[in-house]
């Protein structure tokens, strides 16, 4: 082995390596070249193994050439590496660029169910008259749903409420929110102004105006000197707030076992304005609730002295109120959760 041969090999190796480095397109390619040339089993090491065959005087000179070659390769690797890493970063930044000025995707907004919305509207009106919201249980006992409301067992007036019973003795699904009257009278001292919204149940043949599940809002006022005039004035104000200040209202005689006297409360038809149309069966009036003066027996069951206290109560069907507000003709729609219906109330 000659010194010149070895030097020539080293220079050839350098030229070869530098050309490969210049041609490398990415960092992994560069790393492969580094391993191939400078690695422990790389080509430079292999060439240098030939040093042993040289005369001792020549060895340092080859060593010096080898160091220059190694330095040149390392420098080229570093430079090309810097470039490739820089452009890799640039490419990534370009690919992953986020346009912060792009408008966001709209988030779909939910809305209140029309029944809940109607209950809240009713609540907001009566709250202005000092009424406070209470809630009673949906599974009631016969005592509170009927007997304490002056409806004894086997009394024919029970036929007004087709009742769903549950498998526990003496319990049933409340047929109206009126048992809440008893519960409020037990819980509070007069003056009482309570509003009781809630779900009720009846054993009904289901059609456009009958459901086995529906909502009512009950109202109860008890104080000394409460009169039918107070009831009439309050309901008139309610109807005007709900359906328009120009609407006329009227009381008609009615019957409920727990109020005496009892009335049906009518508002001028919201469709025809009173002239008579199919919506109001040509009467010009729409009945929106039942009401009356709390029966003395009911006050007694509520723990109150009927000689001292008087009260009035009213109960309205929320679906009916909502139907009139939104011109909906079938209360089954409120239960079906069909978005095509519900989305109209946003
Ligand atoms: N509870 C009665 C019903 O379900 C409505 C009502 C409530 C009537 C309060 C008078 C007083 O039909």
């Amino acid at each position: 082995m000659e010194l010149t041969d070895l030097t020539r090999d080293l220079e050839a190796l350098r030229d070869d390596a530098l050309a490969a480095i210049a041609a490398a397109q990415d960092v992994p390619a560069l790393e492969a070249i580094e391993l191939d040339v400078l690695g422990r089993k790389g080509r430079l090491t292999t060439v240098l193994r030939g040093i042993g065959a040289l005369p001792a005087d020549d060895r340092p000179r080859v060593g010096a050439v080898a160091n220059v070659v190694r330095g040149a390769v390392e420098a080229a690797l570093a430079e090309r590496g810097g470039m490739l890493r820089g452009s890799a970063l640039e490419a990534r930044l370009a690919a992953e660029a986020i346009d912060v000025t792009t408008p966001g995707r709209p988030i779909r907004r939910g809305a209140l169910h029309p029944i809940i919305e109607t209950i809240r509207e009713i609540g907001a009106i009566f709250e202005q008259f000092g009424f406070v919201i209470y809630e009673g249980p949906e599974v009631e006992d016969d005592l509170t749903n009927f007997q304490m409301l002056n409806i004894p067992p086997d009394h024919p007036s029970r036929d007004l409420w087709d009742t769903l019973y549950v498998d526990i003795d003496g319990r049933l699904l409340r047929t109206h929110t009126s048992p809440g009257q008893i519960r409020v009278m037990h819980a509070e001292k007069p003056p009482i102004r309570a509003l009781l919204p809630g779900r009720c149940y009846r054993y009904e043949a289901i059609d456009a105006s009958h459901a086995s599940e529906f909502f009512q809002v009950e109202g109860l006022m008890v104080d000394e000197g409460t009169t039918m005039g107070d009831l009439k004035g309050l309901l008139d104000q309610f109807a005007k707030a709900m359906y328009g200040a120009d609407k006329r209202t009227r009381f008609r005689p009615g019957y409920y076992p727990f109020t005496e006297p009892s009335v049906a409360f009518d508002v001028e038809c919201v469709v025809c304005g009173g002239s008579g149309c199919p919506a109001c069966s040509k009467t010009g009036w729409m009945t929106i609730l039942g009401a009356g003066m709390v029966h003395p027996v009911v006050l007694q069951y509520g723990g109150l002295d009927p000689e001292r206290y008087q009260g009035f109560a009213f109960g309205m069907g929320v679906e009916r109120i909502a139907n009139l507000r939104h011109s909906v003709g079938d209360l089954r729609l409120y239960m079906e959760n069909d978005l095509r219906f519900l989305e109209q109330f946003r």
Side-chain angles (χ1 to χ4, degrees):
M1 178 65 75
E2 289 284 320
L3 170 60
T4 45
D5 291 341
L6 218 60
T7 308
R8 200 191 54 232
D9 284 355
L10 282 170
E11 281 165 354
L13 174 56
R14 179 197 61 201
D15 294 345
D16 192 36
L18 294 183
I21 290 165
Q25 288 307 310
D26 52 30
V27 175
L30 218 51
E31 285 168 353
I33 296 166
E34 183 170 8
L35 197 68
D36 178 47
V37 179
L38 303 178
R40 284 211 294 135
K41 292 176 186 160
R43 285 154 66 193
L44 186 63
T45 321
T46 312
V47 173
L48 289 179
R49 267 200 210 107
I51 287 181
L54 289 179
D57 282 358
D58 289 342
R59 287 179 199 168
R61 278 194 260 160
V62 179
V65 175
N67 279 339
V68 172
V69 168
R70 173 184 293 275
V73 171
E74 280 175 348
L77 280 170
E79 197 197 30
R80 183 80 183 139
M83 248 179 70
L84 288 177
R85 281 191 188 91
S87 56
L89 183 63
E90 264 168 39
R92 202 173 141 200
L93 283 173
E96 294 176 11
I98 293 169
D99 180 359
V100 293
T101 66
T102 307
R105 293 188 195 92
I107 297 168
R108 278 170 60 85
R109 193 162 51 88
L112 289 178
H113 189 281
I115 292 300
I116 299 298
E117 191 210 345
T118 304
I119 288 175
R120 290 201 186 173
E121 262 177 63
I122 296 166
I125 294 168
F126 282 104
E127 274 168 20
Q128 293 185 321
F129 293 98
F131 281 71
V132 176
I133 310 255
Y134 291 80
E135 280 185 61
E138 289 178 24
V139 178
E140 259 297 0
D141 47 62
D142 190 279
L143 215 58
T144 320
N145 193 84
F146 287 128
Q147 296 175 47
M148 287 176 155
L149 291 170
N150 199 29
I151 311 165
D154 305 318
H155 193 278
S157 70
R158 286 219 176 189
D159 292 350
L160 288 172
W161 296 275
D162 297 299
T163 308
L164 287 160
Y165 292 89
V166 297
D167 257 355
I168 308 166
D169 229 13
R171 307 255 164 187
L172 43 79
L173 297 182
R174 68 176 171 199
T175 55
H176 49 181
T177 43
S178 298
Q181 293 183 33
I182 300 292
R183 291 182 178 274
V184 170
M185 284 190 263
H186 286 162
E188 305 289 341
K189 284 190 178 54
I192 292 170
R193 277 179 234 173
L195 204 67
L196 293 134
R199 199 187 293 264
C200 305
Y201 302 85
R202 282 184 204 172
Y203 181 64
E204 294 278 4
I206 292 163
D207 62 25
S209 49
H210 296 87
S212 52
E213 245 180 83
F214 56 95
F215 285 84
Q216 284 190 341
V217 174
E218 187 88 7
L220 173 70
M221 167 149 182
V222 181
D223 200 356
E224 291 176 44
T226 303
T227 69
M228 192 104 166
D230 298 326
L231 172 64
K232 201 168 184 200
L234 176 70
L235 292 182
D236 183 64
Q237 288 302 306
F238 166 70
K240 287 179 162 59
M242 201 72 187
Y243 296 109
D246 57 326
K247 291 281 174 294
R248 292 186 303 150
T249 62
R250 72 175 185 187
F251 271 1
R252 278 186 300 121
Y255 171 73
Y256 297 99
F258 34 87
T259 45
E260 181 59 38
S262 302
V263 296
F265 180 66
D266 297 350
V267 184
E268 226 172 2
C269 177
V270 294
V271 179
C272 64
S275 55
C277 71
C280 57
S281 311
K282 298 203 168 76
T283 62
W285 297 93
M286 310 255 226
T287 303
I288 61 165
L289 54 82
M293 299 307 289
V294 180
H295 197 290
V297 165
V298 176
L299 287 170
Q300 263 168 346
Y301 277 124
L304 299 173
D305 175 7
E307 295 297 326
R308 180 168 173 199
Y309 295 110
Q310 298 76 43
F312 61 70
F314 54 87
M316 63 187 95
V318 179
E319 285 81 358
R320 183 163 174 71
I321 304 276
N323 280 352
L324 295 178
R325 273 186 77 79
H326 300 299
S327 305
V328 174
D330 188 335
L331 60 73
R332 287 171 290 196
L333 288 165
Y334 297 114
M335 290 290 170
E336 283 168 356
N337 285 335
D338 186 333
L339 286 178
R340 289 170 300 180
F341 173 70
L342 296 175
E343 283 182 340
Q344 297 177 44
F345 298 92
R346 285 173 176 280

